[in-house]
Amino acid sequence: MTYSLVVRDGEGSFGVVTASKSLAVGASVPAVAADAGALVTQAHTNTTFAERGIAQLRAGSDAAQTVQHLISSDPGRSLRQLAVLGPAGDAAAWTGPDCTDAAGHLLGPGCVAAGNCLSGTPVLSSLRDTFLATAGTLAHRLIAALASGEEAGGDHRGRQSAALRVVGPADDGSLRSAARVDLRVDDHDDPVGELRRLLALHDVFTGAADPSPRGR
């Protein structure tokens, strides 16, 4: 019921962007940790995968080992979808055979796209290819990719929620940080557009202060 992109950039920042025709996709699908990696757990979501997956990555498992560990322990695996990016940017994914069509995943350099209930598999290539072809900050590249996936058809049932999470090595834990983005749209007619608007506000709050008298 969701389509997502998990990424790592050349500076070691991890990010996830996701959208769905379900309420509050950001509450259960993405997990990101600057010192470990990132993942999404979706379709018939196993919510335990988020915490357990990050813990597995922190313990030294790569993406493929993490996917294998989580999926092999889950009797509902045929209905699950999981995409993981390890600390070195290695990617792995699982799409259960009983996930609702169209469903699948697509790997790329430093990224992995996954989705189910899709209007078609071109949604996945739109996510990946747009991200790889787009310049700018990691958050803005992810928004561009999500918008491209939406334009390619997105979730065939419609749209309701979206979320964006980015964490970089420079995140110092402060309330407002350019190295950390955590934005959610839980219920909206245009969740991708609203997420883009929220990111613009985030940029204003975390941007460098204008030193001119007019900017004070």
Side-chain angles (χ1 to χ4, degrees):
M1 299 176 280
T2 302
Y3 59 102
S4 305
L5 181 68
V6 188
V7 305
R8 181 188 187 276
D9 69 9
E11 298 178 356
S13 295
F14 289 95
V16 174
V17 70
T18 182
S20 180
K21 180 60 177 77
S22 292
L23 181 68
V25 66
S28 58
V29 166
V32 185
D35 63 341
L39 63 86
V40 290
T41 171
Q42 54 194 47
H44 286 254
T45 304
N46 185 328
T47 60
T48 72
F49 281 1
E51 183 176 351
R52 291 168 57 207
I54 294 297
Q56 195 73 21
L57 292 167
R58 281 199 176 112
S61 296
D62 63 19
Q65 291 168 335
T66 299
V67 169
Q68 175 62 26
H69 174 78
L70 295 175
I71 291 301
S72 64
S73 66
D74 183 5
R77 67 181 71 91
S78 69
L79 293 166
R80 314 297 191 199
Q81 191 167 50
L82 175 66
V84 177
L85 210 61
D90 51 303
W94 163 269
T95 299
D98 295 325
C99 289
T100 305
D101 288 337
H105 54 266
L106 187 63
L107 277 60
C111 64
V112 54
N116 59 91
C117 289
L118 299 173
S119 62
T121 53
V123 173
L124 300 178
S125 56
S126 292
L127 286 168
R128 182 195 63 179
D129 296 348
T130 299
F131 173 76
L132 294 174
T134 301
T137 68
L138 184 57
H140 283 271
R141 293 172 68 194
L142 285 166
I143 287 288
L146 192 66
S148 178
E150 180 75 13
E151 291 169 5
D155 188 325
H156 70 70
R157 302 165 306 149
R159 51 191 183 177
Q160 184 170 5
S161 65
L164 169 67
R165 293 187 64 185
V166 172
V167 178
D171 178 25
D172 61 3
S174 60
L175 178 61
R176 304 292 183 190
S177 170
R180 186 182 70 255
V181 183
D182 191 353
L183 300 172
R184 282 173 45 178
V185 178
D186 287 345
D187 182 25
H188 199 279
D189 290 340
D190 180 16
V192 178
E194 177 66 2
L195 195 62
R196 191 191 296 272
R197 186 187 72 84
L198 293 177
L199 179 59
L201 289 176
H202 177 272
D203 290 343
V204 171
F205 282 122
T206 60
D210 185 348
S212 69
R214 184 177 178 181
R216 293 175 185 164

